[in-house]
Amino acid sequence: AGGTIAAEIVARANQDGYTALMTSPAHTVAAVMLKSIRYDAFKDFAGVSLVADSSFVVVAKKEFPANDIKGLIALAKASPGKLNFADVGVGSTQNFAGELFRQMTNIDVKHIPYSSTPGVVTALLQGQVDYGVELAHAVQGQVQAGKLKLLAVGGPTRWPTLPQVPTIAESGVPGYRVTGWYGWMYPAGTPKAIVDKTNAALKEVLERPAIREQLLKVGAVVHVSTPEEFTKFIEDEIAKWKSVREKAGIEQK
């Protein structure tokens, strides 16, 4: 259920530091998409730390005429409504990432929702859709095989395993930032001493080279924050996705 069952369990758990939530962008997207959740995604949790980031990318079919974001935007503006983009469904993080890109560039493109990442990748491989938004590690094999091409990464900086691929922000869309982040939370009201102790422990573990190496192998880069920074980050992400949903006219479920 997009992490919402786990989040509700943690929101109602004892504030003793023994029940925690490892969460992702799905947490902040659910906050603005689902009317049915029985917790407040911001107020009912105590942020401990960001843990790692993964990278969303704009990936295109092999035959796509453009090789970068500027080319994609130019094609879309030259032929409004002709290009289409795929993702894993309305209200998904990928959908919101693609919709934010559309809104920030003011392009007219058709949205083609699929039910899974393999569905998106298959559609791209078969040339049924022009481009999509996905996590880098989900398409990297097809890109390396020359079957798909990457146009840009969605984070604030270039991805370490894809240093040749520019960010969307540096490709003419300043301010664009979407990452597949992971973070640690406790129930709201957890004592600050517990939050701080856990934050310090996470920082120590995540500084170990072996841990960083292993995370990179599965498509993630360590990103530690203070509890205050993570809390502010969650607040900003919820506000960002609420704005995207409202501008796109996407109905809450």
Side-chain angles (χ1 to χ4, degrees):
T4 58
I5 295 172
E8 184 174 352
I9 290 170
V10 174
R12 307 288 176 249
N14 291 332
Q15 301 153 347
D16 56 10
Y18 286 95
T19 305
L21 178 69
M22 180 68 82
T23 190
S24 72
H27 181 77
T28 52
V29 170
V32 303
M33 269 302 298
L34 303 177
K35 290 187 277 189
S36 58
I37 58 174
R38 295 176 292 187
Y39 58 86
D40 187 299
F42 179 67
K43 294 178 181 177
D44 288 344
F45 298 89
V48 176
S49 179
L50 280 164
V51 171
D53 288 331
S54 56
S55 181
F56 281 106
V57 295
V58 178
V59 58
K61 63 184 180 182
K62 185 179 178 181
E63 304 81 12
F64 193 60
N67 293 312
D68 54 31
I69 289 296
K70 287 182 180 177
L72 187 161
I73 294 169
L75 281 171
K77 293 198 170 181
S79 303
K82 293 295 176 67
L83 296 185
N84 54 52
F85 75 97
D87 55 46
V88 295
V90 175
S92 64
T93 305
Q94 288 92 325
N95 176 224
F96 275 41
E99 184 57 36
L100 178 63
F101 174 72
R102 188 194 67 75
Q103 291 176 9
M104 291 182 71
T105 55
N106 196 31
I107 57 175
D108 178 6
V109 290
K110 292 178 182 175
H111 173 226
I112 311 293
Y114 288 82
S115 60
S116 66
T117 292
V120 172
V121 174
T122 299
L124 285 164
L125 289 170
Q126 294 177 350
Q128 295 170 349
V129 293
D130 295 307
Y131 72 94
V133 177
E134 255 306 337
L135 286 165
H137 62 268
V139 297
Q140 199 158 340
Q142 304 291 355
V143 170
Q144 289 171 342
K147 296 178 180 179
L148 298 176
K149 57 183 174 181
L150 291 184
L151 304 187
V153 298
T157 58
R158 295 194 180 199
W159 196 243
T161 59
L162 300 166
Q164 76 284 5
V165 182
T167 66
I168 293 174
E170 70 180 289
S171 302
V173 194
Y176 186 96
R177 174 180 177 153
V178 177
T179 58
W181 53 269
Y182 306 93
W184 188 287
M185 293 174 145
Y186 281 138
T190 298
K192 189 173 186 304
I194 292 175
V195 170
D196 290 345
K197 184 175 182 179
T198 308
N199 181 276
L202 281 168
K203 186 176 180 182
E204 189 276 321
V205 169
L206 292 167
E207 282 178 349
R208 297 176 189 173
I211 298 292
R212 288 174 174 265
E213 250 178 66
Q214 188 59 34
L215 283 170
L216 194 57
K217 283 180 184 176
V218 295
V221 171
V222 168
H223 182 184
V224 182
S225 69
T226 66
E228 294 76 18
E229 287 168 342
F230 186 36
T231 299
K232 181 66 167 62
F233 176 77
I234 292 293
E235 185 178 32
D236 291 346
E237 286 285 286
I238 291 173
K240 177 172 73 178
W241 296 138
K242 182 181 179 183
S243 173
V244 168
R245 182 187 64 77
E246 289 174 348
K247 286 179 183 176
I250 298 171
E251 279 189 45
Q252 288 180 296
K253 298 176 183 177

